[in-house]
Amino acid sequence: MSIAAQIPSRFTLTVKDVATTAGVAPSAVRFYEQHGVITAHRTAGDQRRFDESAACRIKVAKVAQRVGLTVREIADVFVTLPDDPEPQDWQRVAAVLIDEAETRTAALQAYLDEMLSGARLCEIDNRIEVPD
């Protein structure tokens, strides 16, 4: 059996297709693949092919990066997503991102409050408890 015959039929999109749909450069598609955010299968000619969820995963990853997650953290969140995510799967991802955004917002607000309090800036970090 050839390599191309082993690729699941839903893997039809090229790097360019995914990049265009996700609104990113082709190099970003390769970056997200390298870091485990999206997955590609290789054709017999060694070309990458992605499924329909790849562009959506990149769009969600960009939101998660704005929240402050690293690409590694995003890949860890996505590891629980099935190959063909349903709306409820994305809701679970949204819940994680919302929780993380709220935690980070609270920490930033605590830092802002401390800076506004007139405290010595070099002592602020020691006075704020940031949850892990």
Side-chain angles (χ1 to χ4, degrees):
M1 184 185 285
S2 72
I3 293 174
Q6 296 174 359
I7 297 176
S9 61
R10 70 180 193 280
F11 285 82
T12 60
L13 302 175
T14 65
V15 170
K16 183 179 179 182
D17 295 335
V18 174
T20 299
T21 303
V24 298
S27 60
V29 173
R30 292 186 286 274
F31 172 82
Y32 285 119
E33 179 195 7
Q34 180 182 14
H35 287 87
V37 172
I38 59 174
T39 302
H41 286 272
R42 298 285 185 151
T43 67
D46 203 30
Q47 296 176 332
R48 293 175 176 90
R49 291 293 184 262
F50 299 88
D51 68 357
E52 293 289 331
S53 76
C56 186
R57 288 172 190 253
I58 290 173
K59 289 178 181 181
V60 173
K62 288 169 54 178
V63 170
Q65 286 176 292
R66 288 184 198 114
V67 168
L69 274 74
T70 66
V71 176
R72 181 73 256 154
E73 290 169 326
I74 296 164
D76 289 345
V77 170
F78 284 1
V79 78
T80 62
L81 279 176
D83 290 339
D84 191 16
E86 297 290 328
Q88 65 270 17
D89 299 314
W90 288 115
Q91 283 303 108
R92 285 192 299 274
V93 170
V96 170
L97 297 181
I98 290 166
D99 183 55
E100 189 63 34
E102 289 173 344
T103 298
R104 290 174 188 236
T105 300
L108 288 171
Q109 187 61 54
Y111 281 113
L112 181 59
D113 291 344
E114 279 295 311
M115 286 187 283
L116 291 170
S117 74
R120 292 183 60 189
L121 289 178
C122 59
E123 296 173 0
I124 288 176
D125 198 41
N126 295 333
R127 296 166 47 150
I128 296 177
E129 294 183 31
V130 178
D132 292 329

